[in-house]
């Protein structure tokens, strides 16, 4: 039995996929502890894992025009230092033989693994490492050719090292480690071929040929349902009362009240124009769409819900993108600027799954209605999605994580 710690932080979509290999570790007889935001601790424990709460307590005014900018304080050095300190405190007395680190946990996680003399592995839902195939997924959906793509990747890494050098130094000092720059630590990890496992399908993003050894694409990791979960009775009744609806949601995106109300009205008007029913996920934006033939829901497992809908319109977070592909559903992409959403929207378009990309700032009822109608009536999108779903079903990303970690522990 090994003591495995999954050091993680982020939105719901960043965390719940990790319960797939977390549960596999437990089933294989290992002891597993996972960190998570306080609101997800109970759910993760319901999947059979031990959980430790970690939070940064960002103060976001829901009435401000763009609370997303306020939430971005997390990625500032002060926010990442606070997160790292809280993560180290949460794991202070947790024994571990290996650390699995998500991107937000890496700054503190690398020094922690070094201080304890244990191995670590990166676990990512997006491709971030330098390649000629595309720029890092967090810098947008553009591609400027192999040379500039690699330049963008190297430049992004260098900027991260400079931005967080003092933050990393504070963690090393706290853990009693000798001084070492973030740049030197990165170079050492590269030279040692530090393993990073990517939880997406190679049929969606093939492993770049110029990635160094140690960077692997495993296939998707699927969120586990908590023991005893049952769907809301009202939702079951709605789904059974008519034709298959369209799913619409913006994931964990945070919006001000005015923007949330505007988008809710836009969704309602678009559904009326197309003449289809809808299930709207409130999400971080707090969407609320009321009317005949539409229902607003909270958190519902996508693997259960997407089996019962005709198409999906979403913001293209990694987790929702994966769930829609798994279900073989045509998609309408509604990405927000920044982050990985434009990257996944572009991949959906390239794969023929997406009927249209409508960036959230340009979302109107007319554009959304036209895109939904295309998703439902143009058979090529459904055909592409179902073909891709068949290939994804043959993969087992969680099994590859378990095998890799067990080999590392035995080495």
């Amino acid at each position: 039995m090994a003591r495995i710690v999954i050091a993680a932080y982020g939105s719901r979509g960043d965390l719940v996929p990790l319960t797939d290999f977390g549960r596999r570790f437990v089933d294989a007889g290992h002891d597993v502890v996972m960190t998570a935001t306080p609101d997800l601790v109970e759910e993760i424990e319901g999947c059979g894992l031990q959980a430790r709460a970690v939070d940064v307590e960002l103060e976001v005014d829901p009435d401000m025009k763009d609370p997303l900018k306020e939430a971005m304080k997390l990625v500032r050095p002060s926010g990442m230092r606070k997160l790292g300190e809280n993560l180290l405190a949460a794991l202070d007395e947790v024994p571990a033989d290996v650390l699995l680190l998500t991107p937000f946990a890496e700054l503190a996680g690398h020094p922690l693994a070094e201080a304890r003399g244990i191995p670590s592995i990166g676990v990512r839902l997006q491709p971030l490492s330098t390649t000629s195939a595309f720029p890092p997924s967090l810098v947008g959906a553009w591609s400027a050719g192999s040379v500039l793509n690699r330049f963008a990747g190297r430049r992004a890494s260098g900027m991260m090292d400079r931005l967080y050098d003092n933050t990393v130094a504070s963690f090393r000092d706290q853990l009693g480690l000798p001084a070492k720059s973030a740049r030197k630590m990165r170079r050492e990890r590269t030279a040692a071929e530090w393993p990073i496992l990517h939880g997406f399908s190679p049929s969606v993003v093939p492993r770049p040929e110029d990635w160094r050894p140690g960077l692997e694409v495993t296939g998707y990791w699927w969120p586990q349902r908590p023991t005893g979960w049952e769907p809301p009775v009202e939702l079951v009744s709605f789904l059974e009362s008519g034709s298959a609806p369209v799913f619409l949601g913006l994931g964990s995106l945070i919006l001000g009240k005015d923007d949330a109300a505007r988008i809710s009205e836009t969704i309602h008007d678009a559904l009326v124009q197309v003449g289809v029913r809808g299930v709207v996920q409130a999400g971080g934006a707090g969407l609320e769409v009321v009317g005949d033939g539409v229902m607003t829901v909270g958190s519902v497992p996508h693997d259960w819900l997407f089996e019962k809908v005709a198409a999906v319109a979403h913001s293209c977070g990694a987790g929702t993108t994966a769930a829609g592909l798994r279900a073989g559903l045509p998609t309408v992409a509604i990405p927000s600027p920044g982050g990985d959403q434009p990257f996944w929207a572009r991949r959906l378009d390239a794969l023929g799954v997406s009927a249209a990309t409508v960036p959230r700032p340009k979302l109107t009822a007319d554009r959304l209605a036209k895109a939904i109608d295309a998703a439902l009536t143009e058979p090529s999108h459904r055909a592409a999605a179902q073909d891709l779903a068949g290939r994804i079903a043959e993969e087992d990303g969680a099994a590859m994580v378990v095998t890799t970690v067990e080999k590392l522990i035995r080495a």
Side-chain angles (χ1 to χ4, degrees), residues 53-110:
V54 175
D55 202 7
V56 189
E57 298 181 355
L58 291 172
E59 294 184 3
V60 179
D61 181 358
D63 294 319
M64 70 181 299
K65 185 175 182 180
D66 192 353
L68 180 60
K69 291 182 179 179
E70 185 73 9
M72 289 300 290
K73 288 180 178 179
L74 172 64
V75 300
R76 298 176 185 173
S78 59
M80 292 301 292
R81 179 176 296 189
K82 182 64 175 176
L83 169 60
E85 290 171 349
N86 291 352
L87 185 70
L88 293 176
L91 297 176
D92 182 47
E93 298 182 359
V94 177
D97 297 310
V98 62
L99 292 179
L100 275 64
L101 305 175
T102 66
F104 274 128
E106 284 191 30
L107 291 182
H110 290 304

Side-chain angles (χ1 to χ4, degrees), residues 241-330:
S241 67
S243 59
V246 173
F247 169 88
L248 303 102
L250 298 179
S252 299
L253 176 70
I254 301 172
L255 293 175
K257 289 183 178 179
D258 290 346
D259 280 344
R262 178 183 58 80
I263 291 178
S264 296
E265 183 178 0
T266 296
I267 290 172
H268 174 271
D269 293 348
L271 291 172
V272 171
Q273 283 189 41
V274 185
V276 297
R277 305 194 322 144
V279 171
V280 179
Q281 195 157 46
L287 301 178
E288 186 174 1
V289 182
V290 179
D292 294 336
V294 61
M295 182 174 183
T296 300
V297 299
S299 176
V300 178
H302 287 160
D303 68 312
W304 178 87
L305 179 58
F306 285 8
E307 292 181 349
K308 300 166 177 60
V309 303
V312 289
H314 59 75
S315 55
C316 298
T320 311
T321 297
L325 293 173
R326 184 188 196 185
L329 294 170

